[in-house]
Amino acid sequence: MRMGEMVRRTGVSERLLRYYEEQGLLAPERLPSGYRVYGDADVDTVRRIRALLAAGLPTATIAQVLPCVRDDGAGLAPVCPDLVAQLRGERERITHAIKDLQASQGMLDTIIAAGPTGDDDTNQQAA
């Protein structure tokens, strides 16, 4: 299938499909004219890429993980022995990022709570 059909079947823009190709995540065949030709397996690959992106993995990690996962019908499952350890490391990275964001959110909440609420007449007149 050509690019337009791939976009329709996956819901992913042409720009993103090209980006996945640049990152080594997707490798469509090329016609002599240079046009990309995708197969049904590429549709599944894009779905796996999207699932791994949604899980918070960067594309560099996805390039390593992608060959080691399969869709078992209920979701993605690892097929390479070392993959689970790598994913645990990624999960720990995400956990730390969440904690950092929660600390930032708490700091903003404190600043917001110390400021004017915007409910009184003085704040409305100043605006």
Side-chain angles (χ1 to χ4, degrees):
M1 80 192 80
R2 299 272 292 274
M3 178 76 78
E5 177 67 10
M6 185 67 163
V7 168
R8 190 188 68 71
R9 288 187 58 188
T10 62
V12 173
S13 70
E14 289 184 19
R15 183 172 171 243
L16 273 179
L17 291 172
R18 287 188 196 101
Y19 176 74
Y20 297 161
E21 187 177 351
E22 289 170 12
Q23 298 300 305
L25 305 175
L26 195 58
E29 292 182 39
R30 291 287 190 137
L31 296 176
S33 62
Y35 287 109
R36 294 165 177 84
V37 177
Y38 298 93
D40 289 332
D42 292 323
V43 173
D44 294 333
T45 299
V46 169
R47 289 185 180 136
R48 284 194 296 276
I49 292 167
R50 302 298 295 165
L52 293 167
L53 284 168
L57 298 181
T59 56
T61 301
I62 291 173
Q64 297 170 348
V65 169
L66 202 54
C68 291
V69 293
R70 65 175 167 76
D71 190 340
D72 65 2
L76 298 180
V79 295
C80 299
D82 297 335
L83 180 60
V84 173
Q86 183 178 4
L87 292 178
R88 282 191 180 118
E90 286 298 322
R91 187 180 189 287
E92 187 65 23
R93 178 189 61 79
I94 291 168
T95 298
H96 287 295
I98 290 169
K99 288 179 182 176
D100 290 345
L101 286 170
Q102 287 172 330
S104 296
Q105 183 182 38
M107 204 176 308
L108 286 174
D109 288 345
T110 301
I111 294 168
I112 291 167
T117 62
D119 293 337
D120 64 19
D121 290 335
T122 307
N123 289 327
Q124 290 174 2
Q125 290 174 358

